[in-house]
Amino acid sequence: MSRNRSSRSSARTAPDTRRLGGSGPRGDAGQPGDLGRNEPRRPDRPDRGAVHPPADHPGGAHELGQNLLVDTQVVDRVVALVPRTDRPVVEWAAGRGALTLPLARLGRPVEAVEIDPRSVARLGRIAPGNVTVTRDDILRHAPPSGSYDLVCNVPFHLTTPVLRRLFTLPGWQRSVLITQWEVARKRAAVGGTTLLTAQWWPWFTFRLDRRVPAAAFRPRPSVDAGLLVVDRRPEPLVPVTDLGRYQRFAAGVFNGPGRGVRDVLTRLGADPADVRRWAREHGVGPNTLPRDLDASAWVGAYALGVRRRSR
């Protein structure tokens, strides 16, 4: 497993994965306040080039739900989307290194996280010295302290829990994700906003870069994928201390009764005159639905509720 260098054992502290309002991932629509406020505990960074000792987990790519990326044009595009900074790069679900080795050529520290022992052993043999290979579950992996960028060819069956974990982790500045095509479209609000996107828009931006055909993977999945770019906003549109309250508000608007979002906001207690003013400012018609609002309109709507409750 080593590349003519000694592998060292490093005890890892399991991250705190408690979530707001419940335990474990839920459906794609999201629930108010169901994402953790607790940051994971971070062990010391391992020596670069070290391979962590394997945890017990059987099976290879097929058993682990992996669809390995084999299209070099897609690989090149993923690497091009990683910002040119000196921040470390964390790659989740590294597989056999299709992205790891090109990322290593950026000259930055790279931590490649993979659960399949055979892939870990292979990466340990071929990765250059600026790559740390870690065998770990990406849903429990403790990333480095400080700022970093993240890349992940997301296992399709783990899409929702991966996204939920990602949004609660501090430190990362950009995430370049390969997800199912429909998931990428939803997160980027193409064709309408979902609750999950609305709940996290004040803190992140979402952009759909392109479609990735199923033929780009082995084994070939049954659906196409998409390249999704998520950036942390330098300045949040809503204070992070309001996260739980804002997410409950967004869920209340999505699930509230009314003929349109203006009617819903009024029923939730916002002043009708304030709602009309907000609607004019954001171009919200009588029949506009929550799925039709952009990030600015959501933040403005939340401000209506805050003012109403504070009177």
Side-chain angles (χ1 to χ4, degrees):
M1 291 177 63
S2 63
R3 302 180 301 282
N4 297 320
R5 57 180 68 133
S6 61
S7 297
R8 292 185 235 186
S9 297
S10 175
R12 299 183 61 84
T13 304
D16 185 344
T17 55
R18 290 175 290 176
R19 303 171 185 268
L20 292 174
S23 61
R26 305 182 188 175
D28 186 65
Q31 294 294 332
D34 62 352
L35 295 162
R37 70 173 81 239
N38 298 300
E39 298 181 3
R41 297 186 295 274
R42 296 179 182 81
D44 293 337
R45 292 295 311 276
D47 291 342
R48 290 190 296 178
V51 179
H52 287 239
D56 291 333
H57 196 298
H62 178 71
E63 291 83 356
L64 294 170
Q66 293 173 313
N67 297 100
L68 303 176
L69 186 60
V70 296
D71 189 313
T72 56
Q73 289 186 325
V74 178
V75 170
D76 290 344
R77 182 56 185 167
V78 171
V79 175
L81 289 170
V82 177
R84 295 303 184 260
T85 71
D86 58 358
R87 292 191 294 260
V89 178
V90 173
E91 183 193 2
W92 280 353
R96 297 174 186 170
L99 286 168
T100 310
L101 300 184
L103 288 171
R105 289 195 284 271
L106 295 175
R108 296 155 60 179
V110 176
E111 182 179 11
V113 183
E114 172 58 42
I115 199 169
D116 178 12
R118 286 168 288 188
S119 294
V120 168
R122 180 180 186 276
L123 279 175
R125 291 191 297 268
I126 67 175
N130 62 321
V131 174
T132 298
V133 181
T134 303
R135 189 176 181 209
D136 205 354
D137 180 348
I138 61 176
L139 296 180
R140 302 183 66 82
H141 169 251
S145 59
S147 297
Y148 60 97
D149 296 310
L150 187 139
V151 173
C152 184
N153 177 13
V154 181
F156 285 179
H157 68 293
L158 293 179
T159 299
T160 297
V162 165
L163 290 175
R164 292 183 182 282
R165 174 149 174 75
L166 180 67
F167 295 156
T168 64
L169 287 176
W172 63 268
Q173 301 304 307
R174 169 170 288 188
S175 288
V176 182
L177 309 174
I178 301 175
T179 72
Q180 287 170 294
W181 173 242
E182 285 304 316
V183 172
R185 291 181 74 255
K186 287 180 180 179
R187 293 292 74 77
V190 175
T193 304
T194 65
L195 174 56
L196 184 61
T197 297
Q199 285 182 316
W200 288 99
W201 243 343
W203 297 277
F204 303 104
T205 64
F206 303 86
R207 175 168 63 88
L208 179 62
D209 182 74
R210 64 188 59 201
R211 191 169 190 144
V212 178
F217 303 92
R218 295 290 184 276
R220 179 173 178 153
S222 59
V223 295
D224 287 348
L227 257 179
L228 178 68
V229 180
V230 186
D231 286 299
R232 189 181 301 273
R233 294 184 187 272
E235 295 294 333
L237 304 181
V238 173
V240 69
T241 52
D242 278 12
L243 186 149
R245 183 163 61 168
Y246 170 83
Q247 291 190 336
R248 288 190 293 273
F249 165 79
V253 172
F254 256 92
N255 299 322
R259 293 182 298 276
V261 68
R262 289 164 50 172
D263 189 20
V264 173
L265 289 171
T266 302
R267 290 170 182 256
L268 289 177
D271 186 280
D274 289 343
V275 172
R276 289 193 294 272
R277 191 178 308 111
W278 166 82
R280 287 194 300 271
E281 180 180 350
H282 296 282
V284 177
N287 298 317
T288 299
L289 300 174
R291 65 188 300 274
D292 302 319
L293 302 181
D294 61 16
S296 176
W298 272 106
V299 172
Y302 177 63
L304 295 178
V306 169
R307 284 200 297 268
R308 179 68 177 176
R309 287 193 296 270
S310 63
R311 289 176 181 173

